[in-house]
Amino acid sequence: MTYSEVVALLTSSVHGVRKAVYGVQVREYIARSMEAVIEMVRLGIERMKELASDSKNSADASAKSAAESKQSAAESKASASQSEASANRSEASADASAKSASESAASAAAAKKSETNAKSSEDSAKRYSDKAKNVIAEAKSEYSGGYYKSYDLTALKGGWKKLSPAKGPYQYYCDIAVPDLTERHSPFCSTGLESYAAAVAAGLANAVETRNGALRLFAIRVPTKDIELVLTIFGVGTTSYELTLPVRDWVKMESAIGPNQYYCDVEVPGCLSTMTPLGTTALENFEAASPAGLASMIETCDGHVRFYAVRKPTANIDVIVALIKKEEPVNTPATRDKLGLVKIGDGMNVTSGGSISTRAATDNEFDAMMVRVFGEG
């Protein structure tokens, strides 16, 4: 029975006692009431047992929970110890990383310094190279020329060819190979004594032309013999002019110089009386120059060049004049912006023939250089 059923039974017994007519009925209701009380007591005891059992289970559960809590606390303590150890290891790793980062930064700084020094060295070398090129270019632009080289040459009688078109009376030409020669060189050519007669008979021109790798001669007739020559060439910077001697500018001299009765002054900017002139008549004007007796001697004056002749020419005469500056011998040391003498220093090799080459640095020299550039390691 449940508590509700027992309460209902007791309630029914109470009503029955009040309504009972006979004693038997009363007793019956009283008995039922007692049974209901007994049942109530039984139910109460069972409930108490259940509660006691529940309390015991709860106590066991609490004890188990306490044990588990204790174990969890122990595990938490162990975990905390492990976490502390891990934190210590992490801190040590962080210190090592910081040290590695610091060393990497120092290495990067050294590499950057090395790169900067290398770039600075490269820039310095480039500036020095550019400055050297500028010095050479300026020297070339200012150099008025001078003796360069002489050659003993032979114009073979079989080497002459027909010139087309002819230049004045000159019908033939001969090219002689001269490897160092360029069109920019200024030449002076003279006939050897043994070949003079053959040269005159062939009408060999005094004027010659420089070409890249060759010298060109001109003649009225093909020579009957080989002609020996001496060629002197002057530096690329030699000042050269193509001038015209006008008929109207020839002046009668008060006092003749030898057979020469006339002179003609031609303005040449930059000409100095200290310069040495070399002149020749243009090939096309030979026929006008020869009858006038144009002198081979030329005189330099400040600002102009003077020519001489036996007779006054009847036509304009074109001439080519080279002016050679009398250079002082080079006897001063070279600087960064001035040409001069140099000596071979360390790190360079020079042969007996004058060839210069670089020499590789030794290990000790390289180490010393690294110390000078980057400092002690």
Side-chain angles (χ1 to χ4, degrees), residues 3-331:
Y3 280 107
S4 298
E5 292 174 339
V6 173
V7 170
L9 180 60
L10 287 174
T11 301
S12 176
S13 296
V14 171
H15 289 305
V17 171
R18 287 177 177 171
K19 295 178 179 182
V21 178
Y22 300 105
V24 176
Q25 291 177 330
V26 172
R27 288 195 300 273
E28 182 63 26
Y29 282 116
I30 292 172
R32 290 182 180 178
S33 297
M34 292 301 293
E35 288 176 353
V37 170
I38 292 170
E39 183 65 21
M40 181 69 73
V41 171
R42 187 186 66 77
L43 290 173
I45 291 171
E46 288 181 357
R47 178 60 179 163
M48 290 177 64
K49 287 181 178 180
E50 291 177 358
L51 292 175
S53 178
D54 292 341
S55 297
K56 184 176 183 305
N57 292 336
S58 177
D60 292 341
S62 297
K64 182 179 179 181
S65 177
E68 291 176 349
S69 297
K70 183 177 180 180
Q71 183 178 357
S72 177
E75 292 175 350
S76 296
K77 182 178 180 180
S79 177
S81 298
Q82 293 176 355
S83 297
E84 183 179 2
S86 177
N88 291 336
R89 289 193 298 271
S90 298
E91 183 179 0
S93 177
D95 291 341
S97 297
K99 182 178 179 182
S100 176
S102 177
E103 292 174 349
S104 297
S107 177
K112 180 65 177 177
K113 181 179 179 181
S114 174
E115 179 183 359
T116 301
N117 289 337
K119 184 68 169 63
S120 176
S121 176
E122 179 183 355
D123 291 343
S124 297
K126 187 176 186 302
R127 286 194 300 271
Y128 182 82
S129 176
D130 291 342
K131 194 166 185 179
K133 290 179 181 178
N134 291 337
V135 169
I136 293 173
E138 290 173 3
K140 284 185 175 180
S141 65
E142 295 175 358
Y143 179 56
S144 62
Y147 172 80
Y148 177 66
K149 203 169 185 180
S150 293
Y151 299 87
D152 292 325
L153 304 176
T154 300
L156 301 174
K157 65 178 183 180
W160 291 87
K161 298 178 181 179
K162 188 70 174 180
L163 182 63
S164 180
K167 291 188 176 183
Y170 299 99
Q171 305 288 326
Y172 298 90
Y173 75 93
C174 178
D175 287 341
I176 304 175
V178 182
D180 294 339
L181 201 59
T182 71
E183 293 179 347
R184 300 177 61 195
H185 284 114
S186 296
F188 178 76
C189 195
S190 60
T191 307
L193 294 177
E194 295 82 359
S195 301
Y196 180 75
V200 172
L204 187 68
N206 290 327
V208 295
E209 288 184 0
T210 54
R211 296 170 173 265
N212 293 328
L215 176 73
R216 175 163 290 188
L217 307 178
F218 300 90
I220 298 174
R221 295 168 291 276
V222 175
T224 57
K225 296 181 179 180
D226 295 344
I227 297 178
E228 304 294 331
L229 306 161
V230 176
L231 170 67
T232 302
I233 57 176
F234 297 89
V236 170
T238 301
T239 307
S240 182
Y241 301 89
E242 293 182 357
L243 307 175
T244 298
L245 312 182
V247 173
R248 65 179 182 274
D249 289 348
W250 288 92
V251 179
K252 179 80 172 180
M253 292 190 296
E254 295 181 358
S255 299
I257 300 177
N260 298 294
Q261 303 288 328
Y262 294 85
Y263 72 90
C264 178
D265 289 341
V266 181
E267 182 180 359
V268 179
C271 180
L272 300 174
S273 60
T274 56
M275 291 181 172
T276 300
L278 294 173
T280 182
T281 307
L283 296 174
E284 294 83 355
N285 295 132
F286 175 79
E287 292 176 329
S290 182
L294 186 66
S296 59
M297 182 192 74
I298 305 172
E299 184 179 355
T300 54
C301 304
D302 292 340
H304 67 275
V305 178
R306 176 166 290 184
F307 296 83
Y308 296 93
V310 176
R311 290 168 293 277
K312 184 177 180 178
T314 58
N316 294 342
I317 300 175
D318 293 331
V319 296
I320 301 171
V321 176
L323 300 179
I324 303 170
K325 183 178 179 181
K326 295 179 180 179
E327 299 284 355
E328 294 295 329
V330 178
N331 55 12

